[in-house]
Structures are given as structure tokens and as C-alpha cells.
Amino acid sequence: MRTLRNLGVWGAALTLLPALVLLPATGAAADGGPGATLSQQQAGKGGDITVKGAGWRPHALLMMLICGQSAPGRGVIGGTNACANADGRAVTTDAKGTFDKKLPVAEPPKPCPCVVHIATVTGEPAAADVVFKVAGHPVAPLPEAPAGGRLAVLSAARLEGSSGILTWFGAPPSRQIVFTVGNLGSTPVKDPLFSLGTSHGVFAPQWEDRQWHGTIAPGKKAQIKLDTELSAGAHGDYQIAVRYSGKVLIEQPWGVGRPWGVTFFWLLLCVVVPAAVFRIGMAVVDKVRPRTGRGPGAGRHRTGLLPELTVKIPAFRRPEQAPKAPADGPEPQTATVLPWFTPDTAPSENHPTKGHS
């Protein structure tokens, strides 16, 4: 009876063995996180492979690179400097967070082991590494992991701070990048040295060292705050990255608004300067022009310049309105005829003006 029971157990185990072999390997895609699969695990330079991804954020922009000196457990040790950046490809996920894209095979600047590194370009950072072998490319062992503590990011990064009124007029924008790290090693990490990189557009980041003062015990976590500042007048889309021990921990986008105060200042300057020059020029002309009169107000009125040109025009009177002279006096003078009237067309009671009855 016991023999039959053992045979039944072994028979069930042999029945389940093919199913266990066909189960997918444990990874980010199997756990519901972002992942990818390759059409080939090995290819030579000049060929191409098809990369299929799933579990990514919908409508996310991704970058695919073949990187050397890398492993899924340790990431891209040399950063993007270990990747074939010129032969990388960008891809956008669909509404379900999946993609299907061909990637040309190129030799990275670092020796294998190699991976196909996939990472988000904008938005919340996410990445995945898939093992890949470049045929004919040199192979070298990975550098030893540093002894002691090992830091890992435990929370998404964020930027704290706001811009003041001076930033609106071109002052350098500044923020604090905040994230939480945990010590996964067996020894404490004292005063860790981070590298803070700032990149704009397609340009490579410019790295600067930032040291955090404090001690992180094994199995403990700490909140890290690093100050970052851009150049004066900076605007547009920037990317802030933090690196530790040669590995990029986080990447955080930063959108900086345009300093409209500078634009308003230049527009105002283009209006004020010509107006001021015009007023100064008019004041100089008023000072140097000659004066024709002696009084303080001479030369400022046209009647003062040419008083002899003033002419009094005699009033028009009809003949019957002319003043009558005494009977024993001389004969009365006739009314003055204006130049535009002839004697036969002058208006009177017997001869009305033409065009009137």
C-alpha cells in the first residue's frame, strides 16, 4: 500500500515537471512591473532584434539601448557612457502600456556582459534590463561591488521649492530634490557622496558632486535633500539625475517657465530710450536756435515775429447803411467794394446776388 502511494506521488511530480519548466522566469514583467522580451538572445553587429515590452505606463516615451558592463541585478554600471547611444531607438507605448520595436545591434563601448536597457525619458522613472549577447564583442568580468553598505532608492523623487519674483526677471531657478534611500548592505554608510547631473534637451548631463552629511545604518533608511540650481535665464524642460557609486539612482523632470519679466524689460527699453533721445534732441534744438526778439517771450509766438503783417480788413456796408453827411458838407462817400465783387454784381436791393431771387 505504501509502495503504491509513493508511486502516485512520483507520478504526480513527473506530470507537473513540464509545467514547472515552462513557467516564465521571475522578473519585473512577471510581477506586473515594466519588462521586455527579445526575439533573439544573441546577434552580431549589423543585425537587428525585436524588442517587445509590457507593463509600462500608457503613452510613455521610452529609450532602448544596448549597454556593456551591465547585468540585470546590478544595472548599467558605467551609466549611459557604457551604451551604444548613437544606435539607440525611441518608442512610445500604446494605451495598454505595450510596445513592439526593432533595435539595431551595435557594439557598446564597454565589454560584455551586455543588456538591452529600456528606460523612460519623461515622467515617473522606470527601467528594465534584459540579458543580451553581442556576438564577437569582447567579454570581461564585471567590476567588484564596493564592500560595505549599499544604497537603494525606496521612494519616488520630488522637487521642492518655488520660484521668486527675481526668477521672473532672469534669476537662476533653484530647487531641492528629495528622495529616500535605504542601506541594503551590512555596514553603515557615512557621509555618502552623490553626483547631481543636470541636462537640457538632447545634451548630456553635467555632473557635480554633492555630499550628504550623516550615517545610514544597515537596514535603515534616510531622506536625502540635495540643492540644485540652473543658470540665469534658464527655461524649458530639464532633467535632474542623481548618481551614487557610478549608478544612476533617480531621474526627475523639471519644467522651467520662461522669464517674461526680461522680455517686458526689453520691450519697455525699446520704447523709453527712443522717447528720451527725442526729448533730449528737442531740448538741444530749443537751446541753440536764434532768438529774434529782446523780451523773455520773444520768438515764441508768430504774432510777435511779424507784427507788421497784421492787416485790418474794412467792414462791408451797404449803400443805404453808410453814414449821411450834413447837407452843407461834402458829398458822402460810397461803400467800399470788396475785391471779389464787381460794381454790377454787388448785392443791393435792386440787384440781388446771382442764384437768389
Side-chain angles (χ1 to χ4, degrees):
M1 192 72 181
R2 182 177 298 177
T3 303
L4 294 175
R5 185 179 300 173
N6 292 337
L7 290 175
V9 172
W10 281 105
L14 292 175
T15 304
L16 294 176
L17 183 59
L20 293 174
V21 173
L22 295 176
L23 285 177
T26 304
D31 298 336
T37 58
L38 307 179
S39 60
Q40 303 178 52
Q41 298 299 323
Q42 178 178 348
K45 179 182 178 181
D48 55 48
I49 57 176
T50 301
V51 184
K52 295 183 179 181
W56 298 87
R57 194 171 62 251
H59 306 293
L61 180 61
L62 309 178
M63 177 60 72
M64 302 186 302
L65 299 169
I66 296 180
C67 303
Q69 199 176 1
S70 308
R74 297 185 59 182
V76 182
I77 298 177
T80 54
N81 293 331
C83 304
N85 298 309
D87 297 290
R89 290 294 183 269
V91 62
T92 303
T93 60
D94 56 15
K96 297 180 180 180
T98 62
F99 67 89
D100 188 339
K101 182 78 172 181
K102 284 189 175 182
L103 176 66
V105 178
E107 293 186 355
K110 298 291 184 178
C112 285
C114 301
V115 298
V116 174
H117 179 71
I118 309 164
T120 55
V121 178
T122 58
E124 184 178 355
D129 295 323
V130 184
V131 176
F132 179 72
K133 184 177 181 180
V134 181
H137 192 63
V139 179
L142 294 175
E144 295 182 0
R150 184 164 57 93
L151 298 182
V153 178
L154 303 180
S155 66
R158 67 181 185 275
L159 292 174
E160 291 185 352
S162 59
S163 300
I165 188 65
L166 295 180
T167 306
W168 201 65
F169 287 93
S174 60
R175 291 289 189 277
Q176 261 193 346
I177 185 166
V178 182
F179 56 97
T180 303
V181 297
N183 186 358
L184 305 182
S186 57
T187 57
V189 177
K190 184 179 180 181
D191 298 337
L193 181 64
F194 298 94
S195 295
L196 190 66
T198 304
S199 60
H200 179 51
V202 298
F203 297 99
Q206 302 293 327
W207 298 97
E208 295 181 1
D209 291 338
R210 295 283 193 277
Q211 189 167 24
W212 184 80
H213 297 282
T215 302
I216 306 175
K220 300 297 183 179
K221 62 181 181 179
Q223 188 180 66
I224 308 298
K225 294 184 178 182
L226 302 176
D227 296 329
T228 177
E229 185 178 87
L230 302 179
S231 59
H235 63 277
D237 295 329
Y238 286 81
Q239 193 85 2
I240 308 300
V242 178
R243 186 172 63 185
Y244 177 74
S245 297
K247 181 180 178 180
V248 178
L249 299 180
I250 57 174
E251 290 181 348
Q252 178 68 27
W254 182 9
V256 184
R258 182 181 294 273
W260 292 108
V262 179
T263 304
F264 175 75
F265 171 78
W266 284 111
L267 291 176
L268 187 63
L269 193 65
C270 292
V271 174
V272 172
V273 171
V277 172
F278 176 77
R279 294 295 300 271
I280 293 174
M282 293 301 297
V284 172
V285 171
D286 187 65
K287 291 291 184 181
V288 301
R289 68 179 181 177
R291 297 290 189 267
T292 56
R294 296 181 179 178
R300 296 184 181 272
H301 303 283
R302 294 180 179 179
T303 55
L305 288 173
L306 302 173
E308 66 276 3
L309 297 180
T310 304
V311 180
K312 294 182 179 180
I313 301 176
F316 171 77
R317 294 181 181 180
R318 294 183 178 182
E320 60 273 14
Q321 295 178 351
K324 296 181 180 181
D328 54 353
E331 294 182 2
Q333 298 179 356
T334 60
T336 304
V337 180
L338 294 176
W340 53 84
F341 289 109
T342 58
D344 56 340
T345 59
S348 63
E349 294 181 359
N350 298 328
H351 298 283
T353 306
K354 292 183 179 181
H356 298 79
S357 56

